[in-house]
Amino acid sequence: MLGPTSPLPDLARPDVGAALFSTWGVGTPERQRATVDALAHSWDSRPWPSPELFSQNVYVGMDGETLMHHAQWASEEAYLAFVRAQRQERVDEIDAAVPGIERHGIANYRRYRGFDTRAAGDPRVPGCIVVIKADFDDPAPELRRRWIDAVIEALETDPAPSPDLISADFHLIVDGARHLANDRAQVLNYAQWTSEEAYDAAIAADDPTPEWERVRHFAGFQGTTAKRYRFARSFVRP
């Protein structure tokens, strides 16, 4: 089993102008491990590519087949400069080590709001990152902001909150329009849970309050998909 070798990123840091998320299909747990090793070599063996890249983070899908990448850049322009000048040599090295990786595109998000249950000295450790994508039938950013506001209100007023939800950070896809490889009006929720079992228990114990019913029946909301990951590695700016 892959375990974390560095601290998780701070999703609330204010200098992140572009939070880029993407997924790779690699096929098997063995290829997951090999790809993380290849990624680590490609980053550790080169100088840091840009002062405008704050962190590059890798997560292993609990499905045994996927990886998720989460990069924190100062701006989209800085990322595109990296693509033009430096990205391909890293891709070539990784593909030589693990042929046949399926890259499923990359999308640019910006954090809007968060919900955090931690206090000073909180001993809980995130054992499961649940990435929930919510889709809407209208690209207007204001619609998605109001939906996120409703979700946070439901979390804050829940009479029986799960003690295993550590935090949830809500991101808006840039402009709600086609961006890089994603053309959906979308919200991404990056939620930290103590374990996969705790997340399953919270879902099974579902007893919706009026606030949660409002979230589920929100006009324009089309539903969600969720993927589960374990944090594997963070590469951070020196």
Side-chain angles (χ1 to χ4, degrees):
M1 180 183 296
L2 289 164
T5 59
S6 46
L8 271 74
D10 176 8
L11 273 75
R13 60 180 297 167
D15 50 358
V16 175
L20 303 181
F21 287 86
S22 63
T23 57
W24 290 1
V26 297
T28 67
E30 293 75 20
R31 283 171 57 85
Q32 284 180 320
R33 289 191 287 270
T35 306
V36 171
D37 289 344
L39 280 161
H41 184 269
S42 75
W43 283 89
D44 290 340
S45 63
R46 291 174 172 82
W48 192 248
S50 169
E52 294 186 274
L53 173 60
F54 306 129
S55 74
Q56 178 78 25
N57 308 284
V58 184
Y59 305 78
V60 176
M62 292 182 175
D63 58 6
E65 300 177 355
T66 58
L67 296 179
M68 183 179 74
H69 302 266
H70 164 219
Q72 295 181 306
W73 286 86
S75 67
E76 179 188 336
E77 292 74 22
Y79 165 72
L80 294 175
F82 163 74
V83 170
R84 289 190 295 269
Q86 300 184 57
R87 181 177 182 270
Q88 193 59 48
E89 66 176 358
R90 297 168 190 260
V91 170
D92 291 344
E93 178 183 323
I94 294 163
D95 283 350
V98 188
I101 294 171
E102 297 178 359
R103 293 176 172 84
H104 298 153
I106 185 167
N108 183 6
Y109 292 86
R110 203 158 289 144
R111 183 180 182 274
Y112 169 56
R113 287 186 68 185
F115 174 78
D116 200 311
T117 66
R118 288 170 288 196
D122 193 320
R124 294 175 299 170
V125 175
C128 178
I129 307 297
V130 181
V131 175
I132 301 169
K133 293 182 179 179
D135 288 310
F136 298 81
D137 64 7
D138 186 330
E142 182 56 33
L143 171 70
R144 286 168 289 133
R145 291 190 190 100
R146 288 191 286 108
W147 183 82
I148 294 170
D149 293 343
V151 174
I152 291 180
E153 180 183 1
L155 288 166
E156 291 175 339
T157 59
D158 195 325
S162 170
D164 295 293
L165 173 60
I166 297 172
S167 64
D169 288 273
F170 296 87
H171 298 69
L172 298 171
I173 196 166
V174 169
D175 296 333
R178 195 184 92 77
H179 187 86
L180 301 179
N182 199 319
D183 62 356
R184 290 180 290 182
Q186 196 173 81
V187 166
L188 183 148
N189 174 18
Y190 174 114
Q192 299 186 53
W193 289 81
T194 57
S195 69
E196 186 176 19
E197 294 76 17
Y199 174 68
D200 286 336
I203 297 300
D206 181 39
D207 185 14
T209 62
E211 289 79 12
W212 281 119
E213 287 296 326
R214 178 186 170 214
V215 168
R216 292 176 179 179
H217 300 289
F218 199 90
F221 170 60
Q222 293 190 314
T224 61
T225 57
K227 300 289 186 182
R228 307 172 189 199
Y229 300 92
R230 286 190 180 90
F231 176 69
R233 179 72 192 267
S234 183
F235 307 94
V236 297
R237 185 180 68 181

